[in-house]
């Protein structure tokens, strides 16, 4: 197979961030307001009182200290508790298009490429803002790429699955180079009134440029040496929002139309699956786990990453071996492992091998083994 490389990465980070302290102040104010407004019903047992939360609880449960969001004021308004993002006219670029163009432009610049060098755009994310036309086709047009684009959704594993699709397109001759872009406005699907999950997500967008090694000129090349994908159906992470909701109005506005999960079950199921897939993918390339210099894991939960790396290595991973970005970004769904890869790759030298791994709803797990090439 022709060698395919990641020749550039890009990252769009929103300008606004919410600290745990700010989030807890809002959430606890909402809890107090709810309990006061429902005091009589709580007293007679027909309504359950809400419990306040704390910064210590959030950090212990997740390792998250803050999260970037596209809109802060709406989230922290206790009478709204959702981002305030005005709808744009059809003649304006969508907000996801703006995010994608920013990240993609950075990836192209880092790779030393222009839109004329790219034939395909894959927008791979878990939170698409509309059904059609595809965000990818809008982004393709905005960038001035003469080729094709399509959207795909494999939840938090979308970026790694998108890399697989991009590599296939290049190998089969469908494209010279492919942009895989993951714009995530996770703040829009999050239930900010749910104590167990309101702190989990943040917004961001990543971009990865894939091309043949023989054509690449970037000083930041990583050869893709192996990939493996796995899915297994589970309802333990789910969001029932969709166009069929209008066919049964009784469900409109119900909590299941936002993100929900059974966290303990997810932890129990996904950690061993991810560890096994990483090990299998590495070994399939005639490599040992000890050959892996860095693990860019999905940034969903610090405790999950600690357990996965401990299972793989037989010991705790160092911060250098398994870098963390979720403390400041929170869970950015499909963008998380790519943010870690983007931010923590410069110190690797030619020959160093690393693993990009994402995992989430589906269940879905994507694993990509990469090797740093000489500049």
């Amino acid at each position: 197979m022709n060698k395919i490389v990641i020749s550039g990465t890009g990252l769009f980070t929103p300008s606004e961030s919410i600290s745990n302290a700010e989030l807890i102040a809002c959430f606890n104010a909402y809890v107090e307001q709810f309990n006061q407004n429902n005091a009589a019903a709580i007293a007679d047992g027909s309504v359950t009182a809400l419990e306040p939360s704390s910064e210590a609880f959030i950090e212990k449960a997740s390792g998250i200290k803050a999260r970037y969001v596209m809109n802060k004021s709406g989230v922290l308004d206790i009478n709204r508790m959702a981002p305030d993002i005005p709808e744009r006219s059809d003649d304006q670029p969508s907000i996801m298009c703006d995010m994608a163009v920013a990240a993609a432009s950075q990836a192209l610049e880092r790779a030393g490429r222009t839109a004329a060098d790219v034939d395909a755009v894959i927008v791979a994310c878990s939170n698409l803002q509309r059904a059609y036309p595809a965000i990818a086709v809008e982004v393709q047009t905005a960038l001035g790429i003469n080729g094709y684009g399509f959207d795909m959704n494999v939840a938090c594993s979308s970026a790694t699955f998108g890399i697989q699709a991009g590599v296939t397109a290049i190998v089969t001759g469908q494209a010279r180079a492919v942009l895989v872009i993951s714009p995530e406005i996770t703040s829009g699907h999050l239930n900010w009134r749910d104590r167990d999950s309101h702190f989990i997500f943040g917004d961001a967008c990543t971009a990865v440029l894939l091309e043949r090694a023989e054509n690449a000129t970037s000083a930041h090349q990583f050869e893709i040496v192996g990939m493996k994908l796995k899915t297994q159906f589970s309802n333990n992470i789910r969001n029932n929002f969709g166009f069929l909701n209008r066919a049964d109005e009784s469900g409109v506005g119900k909590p299941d139309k936002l993100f929900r999960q059974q966290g303990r079950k997810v932890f129990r199921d996904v950690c061993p699956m991810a560890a096994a897939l990483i090990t299998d993918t590495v070994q399939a390339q005639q490599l040992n786990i000890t050959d892996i210099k860095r693990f860019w894991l999905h940034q969903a939960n610090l405790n999950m990453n600690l357990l996965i790396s401990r299972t793989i290595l037989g010991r705790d991973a160092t911060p250098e071996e398994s870098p963390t970005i979720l403390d400041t970004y929170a869970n950015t769904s499909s963008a998380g492992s790519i943010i870690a890869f983007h931010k923590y790759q410069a110190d690797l030298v030619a020959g160093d091998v690393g693993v990009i791994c994402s995992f989430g709803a589906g269940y879905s797990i994507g694993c990509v083994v990469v090797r740093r090439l000489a500049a």
Side-chain angles (χ1 to χ4, degrees):
M1 185 179 85
N2 292 306
K3 289 184 179 180
I4 310 300
V5 299
I6 296 173
S7 57
T9 55
L11 170 63
F12 167 81
T13 301
S15 60
E16 299 183 337
S17 176
I18 299 175
S19 68
N20 284 351
E22 292 174 304
L23 192 63
I24 286 301
C26 173
F27 180 79
N28 286 350
Y30 161 71
V31 168
E32 182 178 359
Q33 181 186 74
F34 177 90
N35 289 344
Q36 288 179 349
N37 292 344
N38 294 276
I42 291 171
D44 66 24
S46 58
V47 171
T48 302
L50 299 182
E51 294 182 27
S53 191
S54 68
E55 294 177 62
F57 167 72
I58 292 176
E59 193 163 347
K60 181 179 179 180
S62 66
I64 296 168
K65 299 177 182 178
R67 70 283 300 144
Y68 291 98
V69 292
M70 295 301 290
N71 173 260
K72 180 175 181 174
S73 60
V75 171
L76 296 182
D77 179 351
I78 66 169
N79 296 311
R80 180 183 178 88
M81 296 181 79
D84 184 3
I85 302 174
E87 191 170 317
R88 300 181 180 185
S89 76
D90 292 351
D91 296 327
Q92 294 176 290
S94 67
I95 189 169
M96 279 195 165
C97 179
D98 283 347
M99 296 168 71
V101 167
S105 297
Q106 191 179 121
L108 287 170
E109 180 179 5
R110 189 171 174 83
R113 293 299 185 194
T114 68
D117 301 308
V118 182
D119 292 324
V121 174
I122 301 173
V123 166
C125 63
S126 63
N127 295 281
L128 291 160
Q129 71 179 92
R130 64 171 183 262
Y132 45 80
I135 301 294
V137 178
E138 181 185 11
V139 173
Q140 172 204 341
T141 301
L143 289 169
I145 292 171
N146 181 23
Y148 67 93
F150 62 88
D151 295 344
M152 62 181 294
N153 179 352
V154 201
C156 293
S157 296
S158 295
T160 48
F161 277 63
I163 289 172
Q164 165 75 73
V167 168
T168 299
I170 297 171
V171 169
T172 59
Q174 293 292 319
R176 294 165 300 159
V178 178
L179 274 166
V180 179
I181 310 173
S182 302
E184 294 286 12
I185 308 180
T186 60
S187 59
H189 84 147
L190 183 56
N191 185 350
W192 294 93
R193 294 185 170 95
D194 176 45
R195 182 180 185 272
D196 291 334
S197 68
H198 74 110
F199 54 85
I200 291 177
F201 288 103
D203 302 335
C205 179
T206 55
V208 171
L209 184 69
L210 303 166
E211 58 180 320
R212 291 182 188 272
E214 63 196 58
N215 299 329
T217 60
S218 166
H220 313 285
Q221 295 180 45
F222 283 82
E223 177 192 357
I224 295 176
V225 298
M227 294 176 290
K228 196 166 186 178
L229 311 176
K230 182 178 178 63
T231 55
Q232 176 182 306
F233 186 74
S234 171
N235 281 317
N236 289 333
I237 309 174
R238 190 163 177 128
N239 183 331
N240 286 329
F241 181 78
F243 66 89
L244 282 179
N245 294 156
R246 69 188 293 268
D248 181 3
E249 294 84 349
S250 67
V252 174
K254 296 293 179 64
D256 73 308
K257 305 307 184 290
L258 297 170
F259 168 84
R260 59 192 173 99
Q261 72 168 355
Q262 298 183 57
R264 289 183 177 83
K265 290 183 178 180
V266 172
F267 192 100
R268 181 195 65 203
D269 294 345
V270 171
C271 288
M273 286 174 61
L277 191 70
I278 291 171
T279 301
D280 290 348
T281 310
V282 169
Q283 292 178 346
Q285 307 311 311
Q286 284 73 57
L287 295 167
N288 297 315
I289 287 296
T290 53
D291 296 323
I292 306 303
K293 181 80 170 182
R294 186 147 301 157
F295 296 91
W296 299 284
L297 301 180
H298 174 47
Q299 303 289 308
N301 182 288
L302 180 60
N303 297 316
M304 289 184 77
N305 285 4
L306 291 173
L307 178 56
I308 290 167
S309 57
R310 188 181 304 125
T311 302
I312 294 168
L313 296 170
R315 58 172 174 80
D316 290 336
T318 67
E320 291 75 26
E321 288 174 312
S322 181
T324 297
I325 58 92
L326 69 84
D327 53 341
T328 54
Y329 277 83
N331 182 349
T332 53
S333 191
S334 64
S337 59
I338 306 301
I339 296 174
F341 176 64
H342 175 80
K343 285 182 168 287
Y344 294 95
Q345 60 170 255
D347 62 315
L348 298 186
V349 299
D352 283 347
V353 181
V355 172
I356 303 169
C357 184
S358 56
F359 37 87
Y363 296 127
S364 60
I365 307 175
C367 187
V368 182
V369 180
V370 297
R371 178 183 290 112
R372 181 66 185 258
L373 298 182

